Amino acid sequence: MSDASRVLLGLGGCVDYEIELTAVVLEELITSYGIRSAELTKPPAVVGSERDLVVSILGYVARGGGGEHFVASAPALSTFAGRFSPRTTLGGTSVRAGLLLDRLGIASTLHLVTVNDDFRRLLPTGGDWFTSGTEDTFYPHLIVQFSQGLHVAAGDIAITSPFPNRLIYVNDPANDTMLLDDELGPRLAKAEVFLISGFNAMRDAALLDERLRVLRTHMEQLPPSAVTYFEDAAYHEPAFSARVRAALLDRIDVYGLNEDELQSYLGRTVDLLDPADVAAAVTELFTLIPAPAVVLHTKYWAAVFGARAGDYAEAVDAGIVTAATRYVHGDAMTVEDVEATRRRPRRPAAFADALEQQFDGPARVVGGFVLDVDNPTTVGLGDTFVGGFLSAIAGAHR
């Protein structure tokens, strides 16, 4: 196991209650709450009750989409989770990336904002962690997974999910305030890789600006050779994403996001299998995110664009391989499973070649795998991609 101080992962983390949706429970709730199909096209702006939560979930199932939302009612989360058989895991991009790195034999250090007995039980023993929290806190996130082909029919609602996906619903004061520990700067002074994630959960503009100011101060201690990776997410207050970019973009080496975030920024659907449409979307994206390297990871492929694209092609491939392995094997994935995934057939190379030719600038596109899985894992795929990507960067810095 390598030195944990080399890789610092932040900034938050959480306990997750993972559930798998079933048609039976959803149909019962549709009937009992009197939910109508027209409501699914305009979900509630604020999730303040279990009924609102069900309407929100059904809208995503209908289009096979993924997302993340703040929930005003914490009891609604626990009530809904209790209707299934929730599995307790650890979540947050930094934590799941750290769990993956641990499986690959790379130790890391986690900056946390909340700790409890579940954390102490489930965190890997080979790494290190520190926390800004002064006492144990417990704010579980609801992670909703659904399969492709999930069919729900009740009242005037009849929907079938076209894709498998996952949803995240949150009421978490610790990640909402994102207090940074005073040790962060001194620990960054020893880091070779730094992951920034988690600001998407904040909902107070003034507090967000203050946290970003403090983070920049801590980052002054990073060695010049360190690689800083920023992973985007669905912001509970969408306008805040621009504040975060404005504060940090000049300190970010690699900016990562998925197709949901891409389409949200552009305000339109992007055909992920049309090279011309993707090239136009990425060109437009660069007006918002002119980072040295922008990593876009999707269900079909992943790519890196920008002046430094050539430096990170192998890291993109490592991310695709590890995410695909999790899709097939879930939390049980092993190093042997990762190696087996590498031998699976890939999607045809024609798309990757065409996109690299279409894009006006450096681009490296890596095709995904052909995966036919009865019960795939859709939770934590993006986080695992990040962990795989960072494993290649950490390996290069040894």
Side-chain angles (χ1 to χ4, degrees):
M1 186 69 71
S2 59
D3 177 10
S5 67
R6 296 174 54 248
V7 181
L8 202 156
L9 309 174
L11 294 160
C14 59
V15 172
D16 284 343
Y17 283 164
E18 294 185 20
I19 64 170
E20 176 77 27
L21 291 179
T22 66
V24 171
V25 173
L26 290 176
E27 288 165 357
E28 289 175 350
L29 289 168
I30 291 169
T31 301
S32 62
Y33 281 128
I35 298 171
R36 308 290 295 176
S37 63
E39 298 179 69
L40 307 192
T41 60
K42 191 176 181 181
V46 177
V47 179
S49 66
E50 187 185 32
R51 187 185 193 281
D52 291 342
L53 181 61
V54 176
V55 172
S56 175
I57 290 171
L58 289 171
Y60 280 108
V61 170
R63 60 182 183 274
E68 179 172 346
H69 293 276
F70 169 74
V71 176
S73 169
L77 294 178
S78 57
T79 298
F80 186 79
R83 299 181 184 277
F84 300 84
S85 299
R87 190 167 66 95
T88 301
T89 61
L90 296 184
T93 294
S94 56
V95 174
R96 287 192 185 275
L99 291 170
L100 185 277
L101 288 171
D102 181 72
R103 297 213 173 186
L104 299 179
I106 300 173
S108 63
T109 297
L110 289 165
H111 174 289
L112 302 172
V113 295
T114 176
V115 174
N116 48 58
D117 287 342
D118 285 325
F119 263 105
R120 284 183 279 267
R121 175 173 56 88
L122 296 172
L123 281 174
T125 58
D128 192 12
W129 59 268
F130 62 112
T131 178
S132 61
T134 57
E135 60 184 10
D136 280 17
T137 52
F138 186 65
Y139 308 112
H141 295 196
L142 176 65
I143 313 298
V144 178
Q145 183 171 232
F146 57 89
S147 60
Q148 181 176 355
L150 174 65
H151 182 70
V152 181
D156 69 342
I157 293 175
I159 57 175
T160 303
S161 175
F163 304 106
N165 220 316
R166 65 90 182 101
L167 307 168
I168 304 171
Y169 292 93
V170 179
N171 184 301
D172 184 344
N175 281 279
D176 189 355
T177 53
M178 194 56 73
L179 180 65
L180 301 179
D181 191 87
D182 291 341
E183 284 189 41
L184 180 58
R187 287 179 180 262
L188 285 175
K190 304 175 184 178
E192 299 172 7
V193 179
F194 179 38
L195 169 65
I196 303 173
S197 65
F199 283 121
N200 63 299
M202 297 190 69
R203 296 181 300 116
D204 182 298
L207 186 59
L208 172 63
D209 290 345
E210 172 61 13
R211 296 294 187 256
L212 293 168
R213 183 193 67 78
V214 172
L215 176 61
R216 285 190 64 93
T217 300
H218 285 304
M219 290 177 69
E220 291 175 0
Q221 299 193 48
L222 270 170
S225 60
V227 175
T228 298
Y229 183 111
F230 179 94
E231 178 66 7
D232 214 336
Y235 280 75
H236 299 181
E237 296 290 339
F240 285 7
S241 63
R243 301 177 91 99
V244 174
R245 291 197 302 276
L248 298 180
L249 201 55
D250 67 319
R251 298 303 310 271
I252 293 168
D253 298 299
V254 184
Y255 191 111
L257 72 165
N258 66 22
E259 68 260 43
D260 294 325
E261 290 135 18
L262 168 70
Q263 292 170 130
S264 175
Y265 286 141
L266 301 186
R268 66 178 177 87
T269 300
V270 177
D271 185 344
L272 298 173
L273 297 177
D274 181 338
D277 197 18
V278 173
V282 172
T283 300
E284 186 178 349
L285 181 70
F286 262 108
T287 64
L288 294 174
I289 309 172
V294 172
V295 171
L296 178 59
H297 46 97
T298 80
K299 61 169 103 31
Y300 301 120
W301 48 267
V304 55
F305 307 95
R308 298 287 303 278
D311 296 342
Y312 299 111
E314 290 185 6
V316 169
D317 185 69
I320 279 236
V321 171
T322 52
T325 306
R326 179 171 176 80
Y327 183 86
V328 175
H329 298 282
D331 286 330
M333 65 181 285
T334 65
V335 173
E336 291 74 22
D337 292 330
V338 173
E339 294 307 312
T341 298
R342 293 185 188 278
R343 298 191 290 271
R344 283 177 173 263
R346 300 254 186 172
R347 291 179 173 273
F351 171 85
D353 295 339
L355 179 54
E356 289 184 4
Q357 294 169 9
Q358 281 272 346
F359 188 71
D360 183 18
R364 296 293 184 273
V365 184
V366 180
F369 292 87
V370 178
L371 302 173
D372 185 11
V373 184
D374 289 335
N375 295 297
T377 295
T378 56
V379 175
L381 297 182
D383 306 334
T384 302
F385 175 91
V386 172
F389 187 101
L390 296 181
S391 73
I393 302 302
H397 276 68
R398 287 180 178 175

